[in-house]
Amino acid sequence: MDASTHFRERGELITGLMSGALDAADVVVHTRPAVELLGLLVPIDSLTQDYLSGREPQGLRVTRSDFEPWRRQLLAVVAALVQRWVGDDEDSWLALAMRAGSHRGSVPELIDSVVHPEHADPGSWSGRASRWPRGVDASAVLLAMAPPGVREAFLGECATNEAAGGILTRMLDRGPLHPEFVDHALGVSGTRAMRVALDRNPAYELAKVREHVLRERHDIAVLEHAYFTPGADRALRVGLVRLADAAGGFRPDFVSRLKTHNKDASVLEPLLVADDPVLVHWVLRRVNSSLTEPAIRWAAYVTLALTTGPEPVWVLEQERAGALSRMVEPVRASMLAGAVDPILDAADGALGSAGLPRTPIDLGAPLIEPGPYTELIRECVDCDAYRLAVVDGLVSDRAAL
């Protein structure tokens, strides 16, 4: 598949899902090759977002948070399929990993080729693996979802099986970069080809930053330095702000440095989750009218309302809106009641969990959350007759129900 075809089809899948024209089960069943579907299970990171932003169609202009509900639905259907047909069988998982990258059929067809090998056509996974633009590898995606012991077994295969070692090298080049694969490549069992592939992966630099931050999470100097890392995305910077607050807050020199980024929204906006009301107010005055993700505004409004009262929020929102009638309803309600409660209620859950980052995923790493996926399947599959029927292999189209 050439790049233009890929981008057109990817755009159709994303816009179809987000508009409701396509169900997650439709996409899982009908998307070929499997890597085109499996690539959508990986959270969109800043590198992918930037890479796709200039492409056509316009449906490719999508952020991580925009697509997250649909990504989770896709992940749930795929997880339910492998749970139903593969389970914890190590040999079957290894077979999936070995042929996923080059398999030209859909994900259900890939799974069927392992579960019912007597019906499988080896020609459907011969040849080179398809390259999903911006480098998602189908084998890496499936191994990230695998139950305990499977990744270790795969790495054991790499020591004696040249084909497995080649697949690992390909995964390191394309990602997602599971920490176990990185550790293997850098350890005594890694090869020069693996290390070259890892260094070639543009996501590796930020992966190293995330790991360093987690090791030195209490060192404010490390957090401040990481904040200005070229290419650092919103999720990483939001995590750094929360870690810095827990470590006592950013130092004056850091705040002074911000003045050289006075108009850089990507640097300023994540600071709106900070606990420091002075810093939050300073940032809001500069970015409130042009926020790229308005949900983060509520985090800032809450900080100000709880520390200084609702009045600064009223002023900032009126400045942003330009007129009382155009202010968001919760802030107007707060003004009428003279209370902070409407602001707090509107902000509840706007940015998800506010806990401290503890894993690379918490810092925005483009990694699939590990299983088990029981709750996700219960939420997204078990309550939907069509998706259940697809998982059980009973139908491949809603009209068949």
Side-chain angles (χ1 to χ4, degrees):
M1 180 185 295
D2 59 46
S4 61
T5 302
H6 161 81
F7 284 110
R8 184 184 71 252
E9 294 187 0
R10 174 179 157 86
E12 291 171 355
L13 293 176
I14 290 174
T15 54
L17 284 164
M18 296 179 68
S19 69
L22 291 174
D23 185 80
D26 297 324
V27 175
V28 171
V29 168
H30 298 294
T31 301
R32 296 179 180 85
V35 66
E36 290 292 320
L37 176 277
L38 294 172
L40 293 176
L41 305 189
V42 182
I44 296 173
D45 66 342
S46 60
L47 288 170
T48 302
Q49 187 177 323
D50 291 345
Y51 183 82
L52 297 173
S53 64
R55 305 279 181 164
E56 296 295 337
Q58 292 298 309
L60 294 178
R61 298 179 185 274
V62 60
T63 67
R64 183 189 191 113
S65 59
D66 290 338
F67 191 60
E68 183 61 11
W70 292 273
R71 184 195 72 84
R72 285 173 55 79
Q73 292 175 34
L74 293 171
L75 177 61
V77 176
V78 174
L81 276 166
V82 291
Q83 178 178 289
R84 167 70 174 80
W85 295 103
V86 180
D88 294 334
D89 187 79
E90 188 175 286
D91 289 340
S92 294
W93 273 100
L94 292 177
L96 281 176
M98 294 296 289
R99 68 185 61 166
S102 55
H103 200 282
R104 291 188 288 278
S106 66
V107 165
E109 290 166 343
L110 166 64
I111 293 171
D112 190 65
S113 76
V114 170
V115 176
H116 300 114
E118 68 277 10
H119 301 143
D121 174 15
S124 65
W125 64 86
S126 62
R128 298 188 64 184
S130 302
R131 186 173 185 87
W132 195 84
R134 240 300 287 148
V136 174
D137 187 86
S139 299
V141 171
L142 286 172
L143 285 170
M145 299 175 63
V150 172
R151 284 186 295 275
E152 293 81 355
F154 173 78
L155 292 175
E157 284 285 310
C158 292
T160 57
N161 184 325
E162 184 178 349
I167 289 173
L168 177 57
T169 302
R170 189 188 71 210
M171 292 192 297
L172 292 165
D173 178 60
R174 302 181 182 185
L177 290 174
H178 196 284
E180 287 180 52
F181 301 152
V182 174
D183 290 344
H184 182 92
L186 299 177
V188 294
S189 299
T191 66
R192 181 178 182 278
M194 291 176 187
R195 289 186 282 272
V196 169
L198 183 59
D199 286 334
R200 191 165 54 236
N201 191 317
Y204 183 44
E205 286 302 316
L206 281 185
K208 290 189 288 186
V209 171
R210 293 186 187 97
E211 291 292 344
H212 185 51
V213 164
L214 291 171
R215 285 195 304 270
E216 307 294 340
R217 55 191 299 121
H218 303 297
D219 188 331
I220 196 68
V222 169
L223 304 181
E224 290 175 343
H225 179 76
Y227 195 89
F228 292 104
T229 299
D233 58 16
R234 176 190 295 270
L236 173 56
R237 284 178 167 142
V238 165
L240 289 167
V241 173
R242 288 175 171 154
L243 288 172
D245 282 338
F250 290 121
R251 299 173 298 183
D253 285 351
F254 173 88
V255 178
S256 298
R257 188 176 176 185
L258 288 175
K259 294 176 182 177
T260 65
H261 298 269
N262 199 27
K263 299 185 184 300
D264 189 341
S266 66
V267 171
L268 295 181
E269 287 186 16
L271 294 164
L272 294 176
V273 305
D275 291 340
D276 181 352
V278 176
L279 175 60
V280 168
H281 190 273
W282 182 85
V283 173
L284 266 181
R285 292 297 302 272
R286 286 154 179 80
V287 302
N288 201 22
S289 62
S290 59
L291 285 177
T292 56
E293 189 174 334
I296 205 169
R297 178 183 293 119
W298 289 109
Y301 281 178
V302 166
T303 296
L304 293 178
L306 289 177
T307 55
T308 63
E311 292 85 356
V313 177
W314 302 344
V315 172
L316 286 163
E317 176 60 17
Q318 189 161 2
E319 289 177 351
R320 182 198 68 80
L324 183 64
S325 61
R326 292 197 291 270
M327 293 169 61
V328 293
E329 179 57 32
V331 178
R332 282 195 290 159
S334 170
M335 293 178 71
L336 289 172
V340 301
D341 291 347
I343 297 171
L344 303 184
D345 291 343
D348 186 34
L351 280 175
S353 172
L356 291 180
R358 301 187 182 280
T359 69
I361 291 176
D362 295 336
L363 291 174
L367 297 172
I368 297 171
E369 54 271 49
Y373 300 103
T374 308
E375 289 302 318
L376 182 63
I377 292 170
R378 182 178 295 125
E379 173 191 339
C380 300
V381 177
D382 288 350
C383 57
D384 188 300
Y386 173 47
R387 294 177 183 177
L388 280 173
V390 164
V391 168
D392 286 336
L394 299 177
V395 300
S396 60
D397 189 287
R398 188 179 292 275
L401 282 181

